[in-house]
Amino acid sequence: MTRESWHTRLGFILAAVGSAVGLGNIWRFPWMTAENGGSAFLVMYLAIVLLVGVPGLLAAFVIGRRARLNPVGALYRLSSGSRSWRGVGLFAVLTAVVLLSFYSVVGGWILRYFVASFTGAYFGSPGAYFGSIDYGVPAVGFHVLFLALTALIVVGGVRGGIEKATKVMMPAIVALLVALAAWATTRPGAAAGLSFYLDFDAAYLRANFLDVLRAAAGQALFTLSLGGGTMITYASYLDDDRNLAADGSIIALLNTGVGVLAGFVVFPLLFTTAGGLTGPAKGGGPGALFVSIAGAFAQVPFGRALAVLFFGVIAFAALSSSISMLEIPVAYLIDEHDVDRRVATGTLGGLVLVTGSANALNPGLFGFVAGTLVNMMLTAGLVGSLVFVGWVLGKDAVAEMSTGAGPGVRSLGPAWLWSVRTILPLFLLGTLAVNLLALAGVSLPG
Ligand code: PHE
């Protein structure tokens, strides 16, 4: 059986952007920013996307395209059959399953809000409404619905399913967010939100440096779909004519743009309609997006129609990310164990149905998985990829990144390899250590 590949030159970029742009930008980014000092977090996050995210994306692409396999097979073959590297690949597969187990719950919230927008069910009291649907049996139901939609697309395969689904949603998301941002930022009282988001707060950063660092690093990897094997898998369907460094930069730029834009919608609204981060509607936490935006729709003309459109588009964005999570273990079962795509999708869907339901029933578990656990797993996974590229592939990695690239990019090869070998893994290990200390309950110095 010949392996699938992307249908058009743009197919890969669109699918990778589709994976990157999702609830991470629109839901997790405002939540993390709100919890970590606003502007202080924003600055740290942007720096890490640029300095760690872009070279990290390139490393994942190099592994994927060189091996043309799922992460497990890729690390195993490229290391000429090392069992330990195979284990690192398996860790990425496991990470994807953990990711989907909470992502699908949030995807379920989005579907629920989509449905509720038709009647305006949450218009009266957005904060209380979110509190009434976030966890419990109905949350399980919507999680299962979201998971079923994800599985349906993945069964369709790379071209028919993933590529087609992502082509329509990107322009729609950007257009909607721009319109909402224009409205939100000009509301009376929006200035407080904008100042929280944009006025660089050096004092906060100094006092909470390590906490901001670990949250920003985790969020940077999460939003770029980095460290969980997605970008390795997507690049494995790629041909030699693509310039990997250029593609990586475009993907990071588009993705970060959408996240920053979402901030311009959520923060003004949090401060105008939800009473700030700690107000009666509790704008911070995982509900930040829902409480702020949903509250806003109650006040604008054509609020219901707009809300239906908004949550519909976000559901698309979430699906184009969740399919990229499910595709990793599915590709692994297909490549390595010769399982039929339908059987693989069904089996993994069944597994996530159970693990996701646990998250949907238990807020404490959800918060831990969606926050610290995912941060740590993605970080560890990316360290694995970087060490592999830097020390196992070495010069071959530079050759791979040069394939399809112009002289400008090629001249950066050695510097990139050096950073992939040394400074980037060390930095990430540092953030991992900070996470572990925080988990162990050690209070972090500033
Ligand atoms: N980047 C996606 C988002 O922002 C989430 C994701 C993480 C997808 C890791 C795949 C792998 O929503």
Side-chain angles (χ1 to χ4, degrees), residues 65-79:
R65 189 173 68 179
R66 190 142 193 101
R68 299 213 156 86
L69 283 170
N70 68 90
V72 181
L75 295 190
Y76 186 66
R77 296 303 134 78
L78 292 178
S79 64

Side-chain angles (χ1 to χ4, degrees), residues 19-25 99 103 221-226 228 230 255 321-322 324-325 328 378:
S19 167
V21 173
L23 298 172
N25 311 60
L99 278 167
Y103 206 82
L221 303 197
F222 184 85
T223 191
L224 292 172
S225 305
L226 206 49
T230 288
N255 174 64
S321 301
S322 62
S324 78
M325 295 172 187
I328 302 159
L378 292 176

Side-chain angles (χ1 to χ4, degrees), residues 305-381:
L306 273 178
V308 168
L309 196 65
F310 180 79
F311 285 109
V313 168
I314 303 305
F316 260 113
L319 277 170
S320 64
S321 301
S322 62
I323 55 181
S324 78
M325 295 172 187
L326 188 54
E327 176 66 17
I328 302 159
V330 166
Y332 160 68
L333 288 183
I334 294 175
D335 287 347
E336 305 297 309
H337 298 283
D338 243 337
V339 180
D340 174 74
R341 180 171 274 273
R342 266 166 306 174
V343 176
T345 309
T347 310
L348 288 157
L351 174 67
V352 175
L353 196 147
V354 176
T355 52
S357 298
N359 281 326
L361 292 171
N362 187 337
L365 182 67
F366 175 92
F368 171 69
V369 172
T372 306
L373 183 65
V374 157
N375 282 351
M376 291 178 58
M377 290 185 89
L378 292 176
T379 307

